[in-house]
Amino acid sequence: MSAEVHQNEFFHNPYESNATKFYDLNDDCVLEIFQRLSVLDLCAIRYTCKRFDALAEYFFKMVYKTLNFSNTNIKGEYSLLTEDEMKTILNTFGGQMDSVTVNADSFEPESKVVLQIINEYCGAKRLRFFKMVKFVIDDETVERCNRLWSNIDQLTIDKCYVDDDVLKELLQKCSSLNQLEMIRQMNTDGRCLMHEFPQLEGFSLRSNDNFDPLCMNTFLKKNTQLRSLSLIGCNFVDDEIFEIIADNLINLEALYIRVVHVTSQFETNLNNLLRLQHLRKLEFNCNLRPIVTFVSGLAMTNRIEQLGISSAELTPELCGALCNLKNLQILKLISMYDGQLKSIKSIAQQLDKLKEFHVIECDVIDFEQMLEFVENAPKLEKLVIIQCSKIIPITSQQFVQMAESAMKRVDKLQLSIHLDYYELKLTKELISDEMRKEYLHILQVVPLSWEDNYKSGVVSDNLYFAEEGGAFDYDPVDDDIDDGIDDDEEFNDPYNVWTNECDFDDEDLYPF
């Protein structure tokens, strides 16, 4: 036997013909692998063959259509993005993006270079959403990024360094803008808003203390077409603004407002909102002022579908008024005070359309009351419970009791309980995996989803939420229960994606 033949036999793998090669994997397996790759890795793998090119494009559309350049999944590590890396991503996937978030702290290039690159690669495509954090914006940047501004539908400006005159010029170039959000813009007094935005339907102002109330009043009077308004954490807002809103925003459908200064005329001013014929969603605080007459007035209009109340006394009279809101689908009770109400069972019984019930910092409601509520709310699908010491954490015995209460309902709809990071961790330690599996068909405990972070609603001063993040459905290591948490991964980044998807610092935590 020749040496060559002997060598071939020595290295021959008898199982080679049965081995599965990477290219033999079906599309679902490949997409599962793509889940674990960074965006830059996806850019590289896309050019290996036509099949991977098509799969990478499909995957990007499904997962990264909303791209946050602040996330660690861009490079797979915490490091600044270079200009070349940014161009690679935008050149490869820029055509598929419809939502982009950029934080100046995440890039090596200076602000104007980053925005000019986005303008070059994404400017021709209409962006549904664009958010910029901590950017320095000057006249040159505004002028050089015309295509970007003109194609934005929704714009969020967070803690950017831009003066009123420059911001006014920028906003005037946003000809298709229908949603505008301004967060922590301490270097502007609001003069940039004192003109008409014909396409604008929604406006949100959060944690802006330097605004001139006259500028805000002028803005509301010039933009009567607004359908959604959010004023949270702004120290200039007092209850006199209710009358201005009612006089001018006749088409308003959603109002989220935290009144910092409450006058002696609070109840009279609040009642002005009853004149809004299209109002469907309302969240407000009352600082222990009487609101029973107002809630009764809302019931007479029979229009409210979502209501959030903060800092009120939960009295039998208020409970009776709430029971008359027959079209209510979402109810939020935040930082409620003890008003000698013994049970909230009647709310569950009377509001037969209620799908969501949120209780935040409500020690006036205990676990037994919540059990009664669940059993008597026929359509309830979602409970959001945050910082309620008499309800959370849920023990294994209480978990079974809650599941049994949910099963007593006629429709037997699955109920999900949404908890924040710390309380979910504690509850999960008390409930075994076997128990979760047994009752999964009727009850599950899941992470607080990002839409429930109350950034657009009303919460107390004691609640803090991260600026970016959200619930993430994919759980690669955990068992077959998709609770959004990796059991083998250390808990970090509260209200985040339950991996390390999001990057923010302490400055990105803010009170309302």
Side-chain angles (χ1 to χ4, degrees), residues 326-340:
K326 300 302 183 182
N327 281 324
L328 203 63
Q329 299 178 24
I330 300 175
L331 175 61
K332 303 178 182 182
L333 300 180
I334 306 160
S335 297
M336 304 298 282
Y337 292 85
D338 189 359
Q340 305 302 315

Side-chain angles (χ1 to χ4, degrees), residues 163-174:
D163 62 37
D164 268 291
D165 292 334
V166 175
L167 189 52
K168 176 183 177 181
E169 183 182 352
L170 188 158
L171 294 176
Q172 287 179 330
K173 290 180 178 292
C174 298

Side-chain angles (χ1 to χ4, degrees), residues 47 70 125 191 296 332 458 463 479 510:
Y47 296 108
S70 303
K125 174 181 171 56
R191 285 177 289 118
S296 298
K332 303 178 182 182
V458 181
L463 288 180
D479 52 34
Y510 61 92

Side-chain angles (χ1 to χ4, degrees), residues 433-447:
D433 290 344
E434 291 74 17
M435 188 172 293
R436 287 191 293 150
K437 291 179 182 178
E438 181 180 354
Y439 292 100
L440 182 62
H441 66 289
I442 195 68
L443 181 65
Q444 58 175 338
V445 182
V446 298

Side-chain angles (χ1 to χ4, degrees), residues 64 68 83 102 109 116 137 139 174 186 194 211 216 222 227-228 310 313 319 323 335 346 362 447 478 492:
Y64 290 114
N68 186 340
E83 183 175 338
V102 286
Q116 287 171 15
I137 305 173
D139 288 316
C174 298
M186 300 306 174
M194 295 177 65
F211 257 63
M216 176 54 59
K222 286 181 174 290
R227 295 182 180 274
S228 175
S310 174
E313 272 194 291
C319 179
C323 289
S335 297
S346 60
C362 286
D478 203 1
N492 55 16

Side-chain angles (χ1 to χ4, degrees), residues 92-103:
T92 306
F93 293 117
Q96 281 79 48
M97 295 180 193
D98 69 355
S99 180
V100 177
T101 295
V102 286
N103 188 318

